[in-house]
Amino acid sequence: MERSDGDRALQKQMGLLLRAGVLISAAIVAAGGGLYLAGEGAGIPDYGVFHSEPDELRSLFAIVESARALDSRGLMQLGLLVVLATPVAGVVLELVTFARRRNILYVGIAAIVLAVLVHSLMSS
């Protein structure tokens, strides 16, 4: 079965989107990790006690504000959010592309996948 030009274009856009999301996320996490090691890397970790993320890094707004202030932990959290958002953005790209093509079946499938992704991210 021959792929249409539209299918190839969608595959190319999807590949670029996923690659960009992973590379941007890696750069943000690396910057945060570098800052963390520069500032707190000399300390000896206590692996006997679990330390969860502080309250100020548990909401999207707080993470973005922390990253804007160049806080190392905020940057690393933001990088993780970017890598989590990348496949969601891919599904949105597909949904919009299929809607433009008026392919109702694939719009429905993409909408269901998007709903499942959003639900799973919001409920955890």
Side-chain angles (χ1 to χ4, degrees):
M1 181 181 229
E2 184 92 14
R3 293 186 192 267
S4 71
D5 289 339
D7 290 342
R8 277 188 236 121
L10 177 59
Q11 283 182 338
K12 188 172 185 173
Q13 289 174 333
M14 182 65 70
L16 289 172
L17 174 72
L18 295 176
R19 205 174 355 225
V22 169
L23 291 174
I24 291 168
S25 171
I28 294 170
V29 170
L35 288 173
Y36 180 80
L37 289 175
E40 301 177 41
I44 299 172
D46 181 12
Y47 293 118
V49 178
F50 175 75
H51 301 281
S52 67
E53 286 300 320
D55 288 336
E56 61 267 10
L57 292 177
R58 292 189 184 179
S59 74
L60 179 62
F61 179 76
I63 291 170
V64 171
E65 286 301 311
S66 180
R68 286 182 62 203
L70 297 180
D71 175 64
S72 61
R73 291 177 187 222
L75 283 168
M76 289 186 286
Q77 288 283 77
L78 181 63
L80 293 176
L81 287 177
V82 169
V83 82
L84 285 173
T86 300
V88 175
V91 173
V92 169
L93 172 66
E94 288 182 337
L95 190 129
V96 169
T97 301
F98 294 139
R100 285 184 179 161
R101 293 181 188 174
R102 301 190 195 292
N103 190 331
I104 302 303
L105 175 63
Y106 285 120
V107 167
I109 293 170
I112 291 169
V113 171
L114 183 61
V116 169
L117 281 172
V118 170
H119 175 71
S120 67
L121 289 173
M122 295 300 171
S123 65
S124 57

